Amino acid sequence: MAHKILMVEDDFALAMGTEYALTSEGYAVTTAGNLAQAREKFDDSIDLVLLDVMLPDGTGFEFCKELREKNSDVPIIFLTAVAEEANIVQGLELGADDYLVKPFSFAELLARVRIILRRGHAGNEGTMLKVADLELDLLRRRVSRNGK
């Protein structure tokens, strides 16, 4: 079964080129052109999110933060033209797994996608403890019961 990738990108040409490159490698890609579509298309079957920072209806930082607040451990790679160090640090501190600045090579993107998907969902196998509805995330130092 192919890994499912949600790509959130408002540049149509870049989205189509990236989708083509990823599907050629066997990935199943769903594309969203804005945050509203990303929220609509995201579900627990998504294995990776490729996320632009500047979107017509907000920022990718918002979506990344929302996913992490919902305790989603889906890997996130920012693909963006916003190359300032402060933005890179912000994206990583919000919970992104990687940050790739445009323009990027498809070969580099594919390598990063393969590496992250090889690790599995956030690679948290020894850092999450679960008992019934209680979850302890040792890496993030978070405790939740019934998702709260």
Side-chain angles (χ1 to χ4, degrees), residues 130-147:
K130 294 182 182 183
V131 178
D133 63 346
L134 179 68
E135 293 184 10
L136 299 166
D137 184 335
L138 303 175
L139 189 62
R140 291 186 182 149
R141 297 182 179 184
R142 294 183 183 167
V143 177
S144 64
R145 180 169 294 239
N146 289 326

Side-chain angles (χ1 to χ4, degrees), residues 33-96:
N34 58 46
L35 288 179
Q37 290 176 0
R39 289 177 183 117
E40 191 177 292
K41 294 180 179 187
F42 181 82
D43 62 42
D44 290 334
S45 71
I46 299 294
D47 297 306
L48 174 70
V49 176
L50 300 177
L51 186 56
D52 192 3
V53 171
M54 303 306 296
L55 296 163
D57 56 348
T59 70
F61 294 141
E62 294 170 44
F63 190 57
C64 180
K65 186 177 179 183
E66 287 172 25
L67 291 176
R68 295 306 181 236
E69 286 174 350
K70 292 178 182 174
N71 292 322
S72 174
D73 63 354
V74 65
I76 298 170
I77 300 176
F78 276 107
L79 300 178
T80 180
V82 181
E84 288 81 27
E85 181 181 24
N87 292 97
I88 296 169
V89 170
Q90 180 182 4
L92 295 171
E93 286 183 346
L94 285 172

